């Protein structure tokens, strides 16, 4: 406050609170010390009040300006930091919303997130980053806080961030499922299998009646187990149910496939649960029953060739034989053997006679060897032309003799390096 002349009838001394608050250097020798310490009481010398205030460079006015700055909250450092912090929070929330929208869309569509090349020079950075670009292109506010416009340490696009958000999705979705169950009775469907890393895992589905009286089936989760014994599966099931405050005592049904560790009468998971809750009735999984039925029907399905039917094993063998017959190699060998057997036919007939003539037989052997040698040296082009013509007529694949020879079956594994011409 500034110094002013108070009514003498009410105030007996005056103090300059500006100078006192700012703790400025006292002015000795001019009588102004009283305005800071004991108070001004010499009212007959009122001009000293004006002298104390002085011009704009006086101690009083300098302190007054400093006091006004101090009392101006808009210029306070904490206020400025708070404003920056608030804007950073808004930018972060907007960036996070854009990331969540992108991930939700990809999850709903069952699409992969990453790309083969996610560098800035890549023409396709993967579904996640490309979809984030689409979102930012439709909203300038989002575009100003994502991707290149986001801080390097807070882009929210790394695989770790994606996994964290997805896990949050899973937790919230499961909470919604459990909330919909209303902690009432439910049944479980359980199956175990190995993942691609050869780790055993158990999947659990819950079946319950919602508030509208509709039967609902929802996937609850997957639990990795050390092995697939009934005891290990029971422990894993207890862990999963307890995570969501569900209890075995609320079970009213359990369904598995026909594996002994699942439905065994003595040590199966079914029996272990029934010992703890006799109301958890077992029902063989209907989906597994349908699968078994389809497999059984498929095995008994007949393929009719005329009036004769053949079972599944015969059909597989017939398919394999048909593939062989329709191959270039089979046609080639067939034409080759036709020519060879035609040359050796007379020799074969003579050698099978009981009263064979050895001299005549030896002559026939020489003739046959000579004809086979001529065929090998001169009839290759004719044989290949006949085989190719036959394959073209019946729409079979014709091999290029300059291509590398490939062994049939065995995953198309290449044999010793050779061309088809050398092999045939």
């Amino acid at each position: 406050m500034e110094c002013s002349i108070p009514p003498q009838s009410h105030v007996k001394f005056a103090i300059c609170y500006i100078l006192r608050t700012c703790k400025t250097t006292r002015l000795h020798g001019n009588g102004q010390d009283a305005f800071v310490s004991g108070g001004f009481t010499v009212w007959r010398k009122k001009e000293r009040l004006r002298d104390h205030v002085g011009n704009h460079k006086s101690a009083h006015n300098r302190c007054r300006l400093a006091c006004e700055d101090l009392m101006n909250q808009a210029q306070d450092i904490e206020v400025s930091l708070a404003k920056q912090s608030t804007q950073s929070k808004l930018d972060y929330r907007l960036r996070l919303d854009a990331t969540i929208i992108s991930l939700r869309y990809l999850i709903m569509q069952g699409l992969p997130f990453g790309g083969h090349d996610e560098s800035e020079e890549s023409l396709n950075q993967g579904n996640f980053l490309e979809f984030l670009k689409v979102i930012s292109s439709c909203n300038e506010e989002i575009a100003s806080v994502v991707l290149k416009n986001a801080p390097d340490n807070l882009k929210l696009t790394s695989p770790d961030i994606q996994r964290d958000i997805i896990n949050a999705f899973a937790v919230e979705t499961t909470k919604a499922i459990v909330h919909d169950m209303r902690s009432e009775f439910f049944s479980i469907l359980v199956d175990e299998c190995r993942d691609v890393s050869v780790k055993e895992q158990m999947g659990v589905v819950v079946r319950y009646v919602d508030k509208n009286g509709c039967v609902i089936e929802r996937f609850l989760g997957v639990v990795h187990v050390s092995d697939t014994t009934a005891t290990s599966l029971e422990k894993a099931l207890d862990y999963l149910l307890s995570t969501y405050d569900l209890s075995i005592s609320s079970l009213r049904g359990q369904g598995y496939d026909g594996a002994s560790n699942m439905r065994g009468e003595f040590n199966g998971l079914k029996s272990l649960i029934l010992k703890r809750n006799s109301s958890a009735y077992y029902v063989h999984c209907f989906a597994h029953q349908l699968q078994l039925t389809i497999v059984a029907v498929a095995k008994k399905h007949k393929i009719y060739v005329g009036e004769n039917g053949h079972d599944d094993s015969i059909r597989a063998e017939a398919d394999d034989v048909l593939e062989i017959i329709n191959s270039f190699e089979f046609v080639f060998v067939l034409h080759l053997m036709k020519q060879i057997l035609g040359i050796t036919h007379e020799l074969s007939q003579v050698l099978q006679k009981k009263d064979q003539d050895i001299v005549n037989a030896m002559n026939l052997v020489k003739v046959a060897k000579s004809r086979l040698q001529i065929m090998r040296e001169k009839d290759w082009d004719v044989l290949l032309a006949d085989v190719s013509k036959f394959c073209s007529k019946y729409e079979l694949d014709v091999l290029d003799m300059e291509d590398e020879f490939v062994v049939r079956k065995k995953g198309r594994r290449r044999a010793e390096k050779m061309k088809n011409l050398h092999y045939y």
Side-chain angles (χ1 to χ4, degrees), residues 111-143:
L111 298 174
F113 296 166
H116 296 295
D117 182 7
E118 295 187 357
S119 64
E120 294 184 359
E121 296 78 16
S122 175
L123 297 178
N124 186 348
Q125 294 181 293
N127 291 330
F128 172 69
L129 292 179
E130 294 297 333
F131 190 74
L132 197 57
K133 289 180 183 178
V134 173
I135 294 177
S136 61
S137 67
C138 300
N139 189 304
E140 293 183 358
E141 190 177 3
I142 293 177

Side-chain angles (χ1 to χ4, degrees), residues 199-213:
K199 290 183 179 179
E200 300 291 349
Q201 58 185 4
M202 179 181 71
V204 179
V205 173
V206 292
R207 181 181 174 91
Y208 61 94
V209 178
D210 66 3
K211 60 183 179 181
N212 298 319

